[in-house]
Amino acid sequence: MNRHPQIYEGKAKILYATDDPEILLAYFKDDATAFNAQKRGTIVGKGEINCQIAAHLFRAIAAQGIATHFIDCPATNEMRVKAVEIIPIEVVVRNIAAGSLCQQTGIVLGTVLPEPLVEFYYKNDSLGDPLLTRDRLLLMELTTAERADILIAKARQINDILIHFFQLCGITLVDFKIEFGIDKHQQILLADEISPDSCRLWLTGEPDPNLRVLDKDRFRRDLGKIEDAYQQVLARVLGVQE
Ligand code: UDP
């Protein structure tokens, strides 16, 4: 496809314009960052792997009636997406305690939560992506009360779909981060990506706390075999027969 000038470069993707103003091309990079980009590296093949995993998950989510920005993949590391204005909120859904939830609350790693926890973080690197209360979110006019409720409902539905999908892969969905955007029809679309960069994924039934990790925590915590883990997630995702 005809590639136009780059319009945005993020930590893991570059967005290009296309001939159609309503469609962007997302190029998935091998670059990896963690801890607000203080740690940087490369995960060989990550761009292709994450693009394919995200494409598969977007299809599974769309099949359940949730609108996403995904259109198709013209190449293994390129995704055509609908142009949206990203809502600057990271919506995190947690099923099992890990990461910042454990650090900030003392809840023990691996604790199964009585029900999924949906949280909002402000997508702002210079502020360190702080956790927001609902009132702060409204005070900052990041979204309206009505849209906040829609985001929570969509996040819960997406969690149900992903839990089921990953169960079929022999993978436990610990937590994940999603982003939403508004298209030109004022529709809320699931946007960005869903991949081992943005989810915690544990190999179901693996008791070893390091061996079970199939996501970016391998990079964050220098656990090694990062490429193998990402490849394993892709192979399992592609193997699902729904
Ligand atoms: N996450 C993400 N991008 C971020 C922050 C978090 O994709 O900027 C994902 C992260 O991979 C995990 C979930 O959101 O799956 C919850 O992350 P947490 O708040 O525990 O933060 P972390 O421990 O990664 O700092």
Side-chain angles (χ1 to χ4, degrees):
M1 110 176 276
N2 212 352
R3 189 175 278 184
H4 287 245
Q6 176 179 319
I7 56 169
Y8 173 79
E9 177 159 10
K11 287 175 230 156
K13 291 185 288 297
I14 302 174
L15 286 180
Y16 297 94
T18 69
D19 292 336
D20 183 339
E22 288 180 34
I23 297 178
L24 302 179
L25 184 75
Y27 168 81
F28 283 63
K29 301 192 284 185
D30 285 357
D31 299 354
T33 62
F35 312 120
N36 204 6
Q38 286 171 47
K39 180 176 172 128
R40 291 173 181 272
T42 300
I43 301 174
V44 177
K46 177 171 84 75
E48 286 192 19
I49 295 170
N50 279 3
C51 183
Q52 290 172 70
I53 292 172
H56 220 73
L57 297 177
F58 279 139
R59 281 194 198 99
I61 290 166
Q64 299 298 319
I66 296 189
T68 84
H69 73 156
F70 174 75
I71 300 172
D72 58 17
C73 290
T76 46
N77 56 359
E78 290 180 355
M79 186 180 281
R80 290 196 318 142
V81 297
K82 291 179 194 157
V84 293
E85 190 174 330
I86 293 285
I87 302 170
I89 298 171
E90 300 191 336
V91 182
V92 168
V93 185
R94 302 175 188 275
N95 298 304
I96 295 175
S100 67
L101 179 65
C102 298
Q103 286 153 20
Q104 292 171 8
T105 66
I107 297 174
V108 174
L109 173 70
T111 304
V112 177
L113 304 183
E115 63 174 298
L117 182 64
V118 180
E119 298 177 324
F120 294 121
Y121 292 80
Y122 184 24
K123 191 171 150 63
N124 183 317
D125 284 342
S126 58
L127 294 176
D129 295 347
L131 177 64
L132 294 174
T133 62
R134 186 186 168 83
D135 286 345
R136 283 190 184 186
L137 187 128
L138 300 180
L139 175 73
M140 294 161 72
E141 297 182 348
L142 295 178
T143 190
T144 61
E146 188 202 359
R147 278 201 176 144
D149 290 338
I150 294 173
L151 297 185
I152 293 171
K154 283 186 188 281
R156 289 187 187 280
Q157 276 178 284
I158 292 166
N159 185 43
D160 289 342
I161 296 165
L162 293 179
I163 286 176
H164 172 73
F165 185 92
F166 280 116
Q167 251 169 14
L168 299 175
C169 305
I171 290 173
T172 301
L173 178 63
V174 175
D175 60 29
F176 61 95
K177 180 269 300 179
I178 45 180
E179 295 178 25
F180 293 91
I182 310 287
D183 72 6
K184 68 163 203 165
H185 309 291
Q186 295 300 305
Q187 294 300 306
I188 299 176
L189 304 185
L190 176 63
D192 192 48
E193 69 179 89
I194 305 178
S195 73
D197 273 9
S198 61
C199 303
R200 285 197 170 88
L201 303 169
W202 291 352
L203 190 59
T204 305
E206 171 55 64
D208 186 300
N210 290 341
L211 288 180
R212 71 185 175 192
V213 176
L214 297 177
D215 56 65
K216 201 161 89 174
D217 274 349
R218 297 205 79 80
F219 172 75
R220 293 189 187 97
R221 291 162 47 201
D222 293 318
L223 296 177
K225 298 203 167 172
I226 307 170
E227 287 85 0
D228 288 1
Y230 276 56
Q231 282 286 1
Q232 188 177 159
V233 174
L234 175 61
R236 285 169 178 263
V237 164
L238 293 181
V240 168
Q241 307 291 334
E242 283 202 277

